[in-house]
Amino acid sequence: SRYYREVLPGEIVKISRHDVQTLDVVRRREGDPSAFCIFEYVYFARPDSIFEGQMVYSVRRRCGQQLAIEAPVEADLVSTVPESATPAALGYAQKCGLPYVEVLCKNRYVGRTFIQPNMRLRQLGVAKKFGVLADNFKGKRVVIIDDSIVRGNTISPIIKLLRESGAKEVHIRVASPPIRFPCYMGINIPTKEELIANRPEFHDLANYIGADSVVYLSVEGLVSSVQESIKARQDNNPKTPKSFIGKLGHCTACLTGDYPVELEW
């Protein structure tokens, strides 16, 4: 029988035809908590993945609920750009007491937008990538939940599409904080100059992308959404070492610039 479990942070695993062996676990410096990438929860991982004993889908839903507490808005319905932010949108809608309604459907016949050779083609690609379910939102105030806005190119044509199809207002709520810093841990994040959060346009982002308002989840809100159930489990487990209490490790470097290791140049 096969047994699946998470690979621990710093663990080196050898998989062969015969078995799975742990070769080593590279420890953090004494007293330092591990620094699991918080963006795995926000964006990279599949929603059915289990990290640190919790399902990614559940964390994303909690991020949406937290976003509703931090950034409510007068609106008629909540939706998303299919489909990575759906759990967050459902959490937001549930917390606000607004209906979750689909406003876009994916066109299955269009290639990936990010590999288009230039910006204009990328934006055209986005518009063709989705069909508009106009009857669901005509004349209504729409909240769109996105999981992250990195460059700002993708959301702009979508907002335009919704307005042209009859949306009365389009409010953007982002279920993660703005990415401001490069990742040196192996995740390919665009250069600092490309990140919308570091550009002058960020100071009037709503106007730049054509939305009525834009609000991101706070770093504290994201961290609490990720750590809530881990903390509860730790607190209820008599085997949790005293030194571990309150020392949950998540890397937020791309959001805060606070790197988990000294950078050597």
Side-chain angles (χ1 to χ4, degrees):
S1 72
R2 289 187 179 149
Y3 169 62
Y4 295 99
R5 67 161 173 80
E6 292 173 68
V7 177
L8 299 169
E11 184 179 10
I12 300 166
V13 176
K14 177 186 171 191
I15 301 171
S16 70
R17 272 183 315 184
H18 312 293
D19 61 0
V20 178
Q21 288 176 309
T22 296
L23 299 184
D24 194 11
V25 177
V26 181
R27 299 276 166 208
R28 297 270 284 140
R29 274 186 327 203
E30 204 49 53
D32 283 0
S34 67
F36 185 88
C37 170
I38 209 157
F39 233 69
E40 286 282 1
Y41 283 109
V42 169
Y43 184 76
F44 297 120
R46 270 173 39 160
D48 59 339
S49 301
I50 307 281
F51 294 141
E52 304 176 296
Q54 58 184 347
M55 193 164 66
V56 168
Y57 185 101
S58 306
V59 172
R60 289 178 184 166
R61 190 176 57 217
R62 278 204 299 277
C63 287
Q65 291 169 335
Q66 179 62 27
L67 188 56
I69 294 166
E70 292 182 15
V73 61
E74 289 281 316
D76 302 303
L77 60 97
V78 175
S79 195
T80 185
V81 180
E83 51 241 356
S84 55
T86 301
L90 288 165
Y92 189 97
Q94 178 194 3
K95 198 78 178 167
C96 284
L98 290 170
Y100 172 80
V101 178
E102 290 181 335
V103 297
L104 298 167
C105 62
K106 249 186 177 164
N107 177 350
R108 301 280 169 210
Y109 307 103
V110 176
R112 304 296 295 271
T113 53
F114 72 90
I115 52 176
Q116 296 294 342
N118 64 40
M119 186 79 80
R120 182 78 193 113
L121 274 177
R122 264 209 298 265
Q123 292 185 326
L124 275 172
V126 167
K128 284 193 309 210
K129 199 172 168 179
F130 298 104
V132 186
L133 305 172
D135 286 1
N136 290 358
F137 63 86
K138 242 182 208 139
K140 292 188 172 159
R141 300 165 300 174
V142 181
V143 187
I144 296 287
I145 309 296
D146 209 346
D147 47 17
S148 61
I149 297 179
V150 179
R151 289 188 183 90
N153 322 332
T154 308
I155 196 73
S156 204
I158 285 167
I159 295 166
K160 193 165 179 277
L161 206 57
L162 295 175
R163 287 200 191 282
E164 285 168 358
S165 306
K168 189 177 171 189
E169 292 174 14
V170 182
H171 298 272
I172 303 296
R173 295 293 177 269
V174 190
S176 64
I179 300 179
R180 299 175 186 275
F181 299 90
C183 176
Y184 299 104
M185 318 295 160
I187 301 299
N188 185 15
I189 283 177
T191 60
K192 230 173 169 178
E193 294 69 41
E194 280 183 276
L195 296 168
I196 191 74
N198 294 327
R199 295 173 67 88
E201 295 90 344
F202 190 68
H203 301 298
D204 189 6
L205 185 56
N207 187 43
Y208 177 68
I209 64 173
D212 289 279
S213 69
V214 182
V215 187
Y216 284 80
L217 183 63
S218 67
V219 175
E220 301 72 35
L222 172 60
V223 171
S224 70
S225 301
V226 166
Q227 295 187 350
E228 187 184 297
S229 73
I230 309 173
K231 271 190 174 142
R233 244 191 350 273
Q234 274 192 359
D235 295 347
N236 295 328
N237 184 354
K239 289 182 181 164
T240 301
K242 287 278 183 285
S243 61
F244 273 44
I245 303 288
K247 275 199 172 177
L248 289 172
H250 289 96
C251 178
T252 60
C254 60
L255 315 172
T256 60
D258 183 10
Y259 293 92
V261 289
E262 291 288 315
L263 297 175
E264 295 173 16
W265 301 106

